[in-house]
Amino acid sequence: METTVQKKRILSGIQPSGNLTLGSYLGAIKNWAALADEYDCYYMMADMHTITVRQVPADLRRNTLTQLAAYIASGLDPEKNVLFVQSHVPAHAQLGWVLDCYTMFGELSRMTQFKDKSAKNADNINAGLFTYPALMAGDILLYQADLVPVGGDQKQHVEICRDIANRFNGIYGETFKIPEPYIPKVGARVMSLTSPENKMSKSDKDPNGCVYMLEKPEDIMRKFKKAVTDSEACVRYDIANKPGVSNLMQIYAVSTGKTFEEIEAEFAGRGYGDFKKAVGESVVEMLRPIREETERLLADKAYLETIYRSGAERASRVADRTVSKVYKKVGFLAR
Ligand code: TYM
């Protein structure tokens, strides 16, 4: 008799809060595509997380659809990967509420992203921004995910997810699989091109600090040519003393597959001008097919609609099972 081994499961997501950045591509999406054969993968557009910061509704809708097109264009085959919009699967809101009641004020107060975001949005420090890690824990636990591929900045949120799951399992018995974060060795923390001590982020005040996945080649090149380096004029990896050059080396390493030693040898005795041009070109070439395919897919809204509809159905089948189990455990009367 044939035995089928249950594949391990992955869940991850990105907020459609603006244009996708080179950081989210290198820290997350690029690794997702490589995992599809080995794992049973669920990738979402985390639109419910996005409204923790005020959005223009039409932009949120457009960004959500563009993000789906970019996922597919980055190599996520919608047959092999379940691609869905978070708000299309009501189980996220359902489990999110339950987990709010098993997440402590003190632990949420320690989240560095909450501290950062509340400083940046001082006029809108809403309850959702504060409890966001409980919603994110629900996203992961609904699918009984084994692995959560994210950039380094999300590690703390995966850790609190594990704590919440362990707490719940401790009270009610085995309910949730305890997930592991999966963080790339290189590319986990892409820094701003103009202030390399800060993470590259779409909320960067300086438009030259952040490169977008779907940006025009000439704009990408201009940003890399302006990237901040140092006065040593030597391409050498040294995060503490040469954050700008080290960041560019990381980006170049991931986009070309070269090691730091190979990069140092390639640019020995050459100026930063050559180096920055080469990094820019490698990023342009890595992103070019993705941008072109995203544009092609965006012209076919009917196709994208079939993908997110079927994604929501497939995701709901798994997620609803977890919600039923949890509702029963906490003592909700069966309908
Ligand atoms: P978000 O939307 O801020 O970022 C999406 C993904 O990109 C990674 N990332 C980076 N990696 C390297 N360098 C950077 N500069 C950089 N900027 C972003 C992030 O680590 C992340 O992996 N809360 C999440 C979205 C989310 C989620 C989830 C993730 C919601 N539910 C469940 C995993 C599982 C977020 O805001 O990511």
Side-chain angles (χ1 to χ4, degrees):
M1 206 176 71
E2 202 181 322
T3 53
T4 50
V5 181
Q6 180 72 40
K7 281 186 183 171
K8 288 198 170 182
R9 213 172 263 159
I10 281 182
L11 176 289
S12 196
I14 296 181
Q15 296 194 44
S17 53
N19 296 320
L20 288 162
T21 70
L22 178 64
S24 30
Y25 181 66
L26 297 182
I29 307 177
K30 190 169 187 290
N31 305 304
W32 298 355
L35 298 162
D37 289 330
E38 221 181 312
Y39 292 88
D40 187 18
C41 302
Y42 292 75
Y43 294 120
M44 62 176 191
M45 277 48 81
D47 57 347
M48 290 168 67
H49 286 267
T50 304
I51 62 163
T52 53
V53 173
R54 205 72 79 226
Q55 301 294 318
V56 175
D59 291 352
L60 178 55
R61 268 189 287 276
R62 198 191 53 249
N63 290 334
T64 305
L65 205 61
T66 305
Q67 193 168 308
L68 172 63
Y71 279 6
I72 302 170
S74 302
L76 298 177
D77 176 345
E79 296 293 323
K80 287 194 196 159
N81 301 273
V82 180
L83 308 179
F84 67 100
V85 180
Q86 186 184 25
S87 65
H88 291 180
V89 180
H92 290 262
Q94 294 172 315
L95 185 61
W97 172 251
V98 174
L99 296 184
D100 272 350
C101 304
Y102 295 82
T103 307
M104 300 301 134
F105 183 88
E107 56 190 349
L108 290 173
S109 312
R110 286 192 291 276
M111 294 293 114
T112 52
Q113 198 168 74
F114 171 69
K115 291 183 210 164
D116 289 352
K117 284 205 176 175
S118 45
K120 276 189 193 155
N121 302 283
D123 55 345
N124 184 23
I125 307 179
N126 59 73
L129 193 65
F130 187 63
T131 61
Y132 159 125
L135 179 64
M136 177 161 159
D139 300 338
I140 299 167
L141 301 176
L142 276 174
Y143 299 89
Q144 306 289 352
D146 297 277
L147 211 61
V148 186
V150 284
D153 61 334
Q154 293 296 325
K155 187 164 178 256
Q156 199 183 30
H157 290 158
V158 181
E159 279 162 3
I160 195 177
C161 168
R162 291 165 56 92
D163 293 342
I164 298 167
N166 277 318
R167 180 174 301 134
F168 195 96
N169 287 352
I171 304 170
Y172 299 104
E174 215 46 37
T175 310
F176 298 123
K177 174 81 68 65
I178 309 298
E180 295 285 340
Y182 176 95
I183 296 169
K185 285 202 176 63
V186 185
R189 200 166 159 76
V190 179
M191 309 308 275
S192 157
L193 297 187
T194 48
S195 49
E197 56 292 340
N198 299 317
K199 186 185 80 168
M200 181 181 281
S201 149
K202 43 200 157 196
S203 57
D204 197 331
K205 296 262 178 314
D206 181 351
N208 289 318
C210 183
V211 170
Y212 298 101
M213 262 181 84
L214 306 175
E215 209 166 12
K216 290 205 259 344
E218 55 271 31
D219 293 334
I220 298 180
M221 286 309 293
R222 182 176 41 79
K223 289 181 183 180
F224 276 102
K225 283 181 185 160
K226 283 196 177 150
V228 166
T229 48
D230 51 58
S231 55
E232 194 196 18
C234 171
V235 175
R236 179 168 63 77
Y237 193 78
D238 178 350
I239 285 273
N241 299 306
K242 296 168 72 69
V245 169
S246 303
N247 184 42
L248 292 172
M249 282 181 75
Q250 291 214 27
I251 295 172
Y252 193 57
V254 194
S255 53
T256 59
K258 293 178 183 170
T259 65
F260 292 151
E261 292 72 35
E262 285 167 338
I263 299 169
E264 286 173 2
E266 183 178 349
F267 294 98
R270 290 166 69 187
Y272 285 153
D274 275 5
F275 173 54
K276 291 201 274 191
K277 187 160 167 276
V279 182
E281 279 166 358
S282 72
V283 170
V284 164
E285 289 321 314
M286 173 177 68
L287 296 178
R288 185 191 303 281
I290 299 175
R291 177 173 48 85
E292 289 172 356
E293 181 64 2
T294 303
E295 282 165 9
R296 198 187 66 74
L297 288 165
L298 275 173
D300 191 353
K301 301 270 186 308
Y303 169 72
L304 293 174
E305 205 176 296
T306 59
I307 301 302
Y308 67 66
R309 286 215 174 125
S310 110
E313 271 173 35
R314 288 160 76 191
S316 291
R317 274 200 291 277
V318 177
D320 289 347
R321 271 205 298 276
T322 305
V323 169
S324 302
K325 194 162 144 186
V326 168
Y327 273 18
K328 204 162 151 190
K329 296 238 178 185
V330 299
F332 290 166
L333 182 66
R335 206 161 57 163

